[in-house]
């Protein structure tokens, strides 16, 4: 028998071959043990089923509240819920002092919330009173392709003066949106959007809450003094809104202590996601526009990111009374009509500049040396049809936030069902931060 001599190279190749075989076997075992991806039977709601008896408020669902907005009325005709949307120009107030000619629905910006129940057969008439063609897309809704509302693809556009009919049966429940899908850049930037809420039937255990709020997030470019929003803007949005209102024009969310609260956020901003933060609480993210999350998959956080084109539902128990801020945590999103091309004046001693400028322009006053927080209190004149960059007078001082900001008002007393503002919270004695007493500082070794 002839001796076989292995070179170092042959030994390395043999070792690699054995190792590779072992790795392949191990990989095969791992893949064999890995769980198989579970494909759903349908990703579009499944086969169409017969419409059910129209769901009624109080019997089949608790109506939602759109703070500062409205819910679209409907009627029942031969077992079908009939709605009517009218696309038209709207003279809209974003906050006291700021109005603009926008495009919306039924005299509102944004359009009224459409509310229904899973299994409802709905018929939505859309009348176009705009000077341009339009359509309506039912964002996230399972429906026949010819009802999807993409101009040119699924239907011809609705010409000025025409009325189109959309009709489908709701196969799903959840939080969704609607918006123009013709010349979206222009028409959505001018306000043509709204929310859709579809309640489950039957409602699963734990679905019912005491307060169910709906909030649409959006952004606009309105040059101070301008008559209309600018739909061509891509980055420099200066009016950030909740339900088309900028603080101090936003409506509060009013709750009674101990109530279970759901907030449904939708975001149809042109370019920006919005991290919405609630003070004083955490909430659980319980649903997306893809459906409810199982309890095991819900996660707690104090800030929920609402991406563009998405909805997020959060829930919490309002067990801490007070006036709690809720706002986008993009810091420029809580300012009103702020320009981004200002020089940085922080730390500048502008007294000489102010004196010299005052000789040329009477009343001239340099600003920004200490930030923007004092601007609300200055009482300065602002351009026609514009609002100060920061908010409004609060119970103690000026609230130096504007834009995408509102207040969750939780009260021990009965506050009714109409989301009426109960006024400012009355704090129990000794529960408000205030000037430190010298004896306390001495006791605690604080030298200031």
């Amino acid at each position: 028998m002839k001796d076989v001599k292995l070179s170092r190279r042959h030994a390395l190749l043999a070792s690699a071959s054995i190792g590779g075989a072992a790795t392949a076997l191990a990989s095969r075992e791992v893949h064999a043990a890995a769980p198989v991806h579970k494909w759903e039977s349908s990703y579009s709601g499944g086969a169409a089923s017969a419409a059910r008896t129209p769901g009624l408020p109080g019997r089949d669902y608790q109506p939602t509240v759109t703070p500062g907005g409205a819910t679209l009325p409907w009627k029942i005709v031969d077992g079908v819920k009939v709605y009517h949307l009218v696309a038209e120009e709207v003279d809209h107030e974003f906050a006291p002092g700021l109005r603009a000619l926008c495009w919306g629905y039924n005299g509102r910006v944004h359009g009224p919330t459409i509310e229904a129940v899973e299994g409802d057969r709905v018929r939505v008439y859309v009348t176009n009173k705009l000077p341009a063609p339009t359509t309506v897309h039912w964002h996230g809704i399972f429906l026949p392709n010819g009802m999807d509302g993409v101009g040119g693809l699924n239907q011809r556009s609705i010409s000025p003066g025409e009325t189109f009919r959309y009709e489908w049966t709701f196969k799903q429940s959840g939080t969704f949106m609607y918006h123009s899908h013709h010349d979206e850049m222009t028409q959505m930037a001018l306000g043509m959007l709204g929310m859709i809420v579809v309640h489950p039937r039957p409602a699963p255990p734990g679905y019912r809450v005491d307060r169910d709020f709906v909030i649409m997030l959006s952004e606009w470019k309105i040059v101070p003094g301008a008559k209309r929003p600018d739909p061509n803007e891509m980055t420099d949005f200066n009016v950030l809104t909740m339900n088309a209102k900028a603080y101090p024009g936003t409506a509060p969310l009013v709750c009674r202590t101990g109530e279970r609260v759901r907030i449904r956020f939708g975001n149809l901003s042109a370019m920006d996601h919005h991290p919405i933060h609630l003070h004083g609480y955490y909430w659980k993210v319980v649903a997306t526009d893809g459906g409810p999350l199982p309890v095991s998959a819900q996660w707690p956080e104090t800030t929920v990111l609402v991406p563009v084109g998405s909805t997020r539902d959060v829930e919490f128990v309002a067990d801490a009374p007070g006036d709690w801020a809720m706002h986008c945590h993009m810091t420029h999103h809580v300012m009103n009509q702020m320009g981004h091309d200002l020089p940085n004046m922080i730390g500048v001693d502008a007294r000489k500049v102010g004196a010299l400028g005052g000789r040329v322009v009477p009343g001239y006053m340099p600003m920004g040396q200490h930030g923007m927080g004092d601007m609300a209190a200055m009482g300065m004149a602002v351009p026609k049809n514009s609002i100060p960059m920061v908010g409004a007078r609060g119970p103690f001082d000026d609230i130096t936030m504007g834009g995408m900001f509102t207040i969750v008002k939780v009260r021990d007393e009965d506050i009714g069902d109409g989301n009426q503002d109960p006024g400012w919270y009355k704090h129990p004695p000794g529960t408000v931060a205030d000037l430190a007493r010298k004896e306390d500082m001495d006791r605690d070794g604080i030298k200031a």
Side-chain angles (χ1 to χ4, degrees), residues 56 99 145 164 173 179 200 210 221 230 240 242 256 283 285 294 314 339 347:
L56 299 179
R99 307 187 71 92
N145 185 248
F164 270 40
S173 62
H179 60 84
D210 299 297
K221 175 61 178 288
D230 181 1
L240 286 296
M242 291 180 166
R256 191 171 186 182
W283 47 34
V285 182
V314 298

Side-chain angles (χ1 to χ4, degrees), residues 9-305:
R9 178 173 180 272
H10 287 125
L12 288 172
L13 288 173
S15 174
S17 176
I18 294 169
T23 301
L25 286 172
S27 174
R28 192 177 305 159
E29 289 176 2
V30 168
H31 282 292
V36 178
H37 176 68
K38 183 180 182 301
W39 291 95
E40 304 292 344
S41 60
S42 173
Y43 287 78
S44 59
S49 57
R52 303 180 65 175
T53 302
L56 299 179
R59 186 191 73 184
D60 299 296
Y61 68 95
Q62 174 195 357
T64 59
V65 173
T66 306
T71 300
L72 185 64
W74 46 268
K75 59 184 177 181
I76 298 175
V77 179
D78 297 331
V80 178
K81 282 186 177 175
V82 178
Y83 304 78
H84 187 194
L85 282 175
V86 180
E88 58 190 346
E89 187 170 83
V90 180
D91 181 7
H92 175 66
E93 181 182 73
F94 290 89
L98 178 61
R99 307 187 71 92
L101 285 176
C102 303
W103 289 1
Y105 299 96
N106 298 52
R108 308 194 69 89
V109 176
H110 300 297
T113 297
I114 295 175
E115 195 162 20
V117 180
E118 186 178 1
D120 280 349
R121 182 73 175 177
V122 298
R123 184 177 301 136
V124 186
Y125 290 96
V126 178
T127 299
N128 183 9
K129 293 187 177 181
L130 297 170
T134 191
T135 67
V136 180
H137 167 59
W138 317 100
H139 187 107
I141 300 298
F142 304 145
L143 36 58
N145 185 248
M147 296 291 172
D148 195 47
V150 179
L153 176 65
N154 308 121
Q155 65 169 90
R156 70 173 179 85
S157 298
I158 310 171
S159 296
E162 292 184 330
T163 296
F164 270 40
R165 176 180 61 83
Y166 296 87
E167 188 164 340
W168 68 90
T169 300
F170 278 114
K171 300 179 181 180
Q172 77 224 88
S173 62
T175 305
F176 311 100
M177 301 176 285
Y178 65 92
H179 60 84
S180 167
H181 221 303
H182 173 85
D183 190 13
E184 297 89 345
M185 183 193 81
T186 300
Q187 298 194 4
M188 292 178 69
L190 291 176
M192 298 190 68
L193 27 135
M195 296 288 286
I196 300 174
V197 174
V198 186
H199 298 279
R201 178 163 44 185
Y207 176 77
R208 182 174 176 81
V209 293
D210 299 297
R211 307 278 168 173
D212 199 340
F213 296 108
V214 180
I215 296 181
M216 172 69 81
L217 309 173
S218 192
E219 59 193 6
W220 316 69
K221 175 61 178 288
I222 306 176
V223 175
K227 186 178 182 180
R228 296 182 185 274
D230 181 1
N232 299 312
E233 184 55 55
M234 293 181 65
T235 58
D236 194 11
F237 301 99
N238 63 356
V239 177
L240 286 296
T241 59
M242 291 180 166
N243 290 338
K245 298 285 188 177
Y247 190 77
T250 53
L253 282 62
V254 183
C255 317
R256 191 171 186 182
T257 307
E259 289 186 327
R260 295 185 59 203
V261 180
R262 178 185 297 122
I263 307 177
R264 305 168 185 263
F265 294 106
N267 180 12
L268 285 178
S269 298
M271 299 295 287
D272 289 306
H273 310 315
H274 298 295
I276 303 299
H277 173 59
L278 174 64
H279 293 210
Y281 291 91
Y282 75 93
W283 47 34
K284 288 188 176 180
V285 182
V286 300
T288 72
D289 38 9
L293 298 173
V295 173
S296 60
Q298 296 172 8
W299 68 94
E301 56 185 17
T302 66
T303 302
V304 59
L305 181 65

Side-chain angles (χ1 to χ4, degrees), residues 373-394:
D374 294 333
M375 293 194 65
M378 287 181 178
M380 296 178 58
V382 295
K384 184 179 180 181
N385 196 37
S386 69
I387 50 180
M389 284 192 285
V390 292
R393 185 71 183 175

